[in-house]
Amino acid sequence: PLQAPEQIMPATASSQARLRGYVTMVVYGFVFFGVIAVIQKMDDVGSGWSNRDAAAFNYTRDYKTANLQPDFCEPTKPFFYHDLGGTMCVCELGWSKTAYWSKVLTGFAFDFPHVLTPFQIYVVYQRWTWVMIYILFNEVFEEFVLALTGYWGFTYDPPFDLESRYDAFIRDVLLCGIPGLILGIKFVKALRVPSYLGFPLARDWTVDSIHGKARHAKVFFQMLVLKQITLIYNTDHGMGQFYWQNLALMGAYCLVHLSFYLSNRKDFPDYSPQHIVSWHVGWLFCTLFMCVFAVKPGLQEAYLVIISVVMLYALLCTIDFMLEQNIFGLARRLQNP
């Protein structure tokens, strides 16, 4: 039997919406991998290991007799690869508890990115269990990369860079990841940020709401780009050095956050434009505030992380209190329609 036109048109519209959704995901994928390629090239420039090769790695120097300090990415011999409950390093033969904690707390090892990524994931998804799963998956994935490729982490550094980084679960999870998560929880509460996405996921591509597949796909790829640009980050040469990479990262964050705001601002019809602008500006401010400490670090990175997180948390507590008490009419200004 022939179908009525009104029965055919919804199916056609659904098919077109599904096709647009798939095409959109392909475009997002190309953009994402293009960003990865650019970032990988930028990371190679200025890295502490960029001029090293196998011959340099096998080089032996008598540091103790000459009373010299080894270069940042050069382990002293004899040494061995070591895995201590998730801690990957190139360790000198022998064990020193003092040296261990010194390296965990003072090694330059992407500390700020390990704070920023959980913070930003929570702002968008607002599920602390998802953030914890990501943190643990990230650490497992880093070791899989080393096992499968012979290089380390998302930036594919040589294994001998591990001595200086001393990549440890204690630091990445306890000292960086969890504080980033706590900061994200406080940020969402203080600035009254709604979730960008809703669950369960709608089955039809034509659904245009926080439950829609198209919106989930859009936000997912935006978050991937936001996460991957942190690989521009570099502090390989230690304290007191100027890092143009981190200045470039701050510029990249400005552009990505602007695009994030422009592409998502209409997804919150129940919130006033002032409110939407306020949390996006606040989100960017928190991100840049942490990054600025790493442009020319004056202290070891782990200590800078603690200082910046405590300062931001105190600021968010103050904002939360001012909104609760409607000081200076802030709550009225951000009142939603």
Side-chain angles (χ1 to χ4, degrees), residues 190-206:
L191 275 76
R192 282 61 171 168
V193 182
S195 177
Y196 281 72
L197 301 172
F199 296 91
L201 190 65
R203 301 180 62 181
D204 195 336
W205 278 97
T206 60

Side-chain angles (χ1 to χ4, degrees), residues 21-37:
Y22 291 143
V23 171
T24 301
M25 291 184 68
V26 171
V27 172
Y28 284 149
F30 274 113
V31 172
F32 171 62
F33 286 110
V35 169
I36 289 179

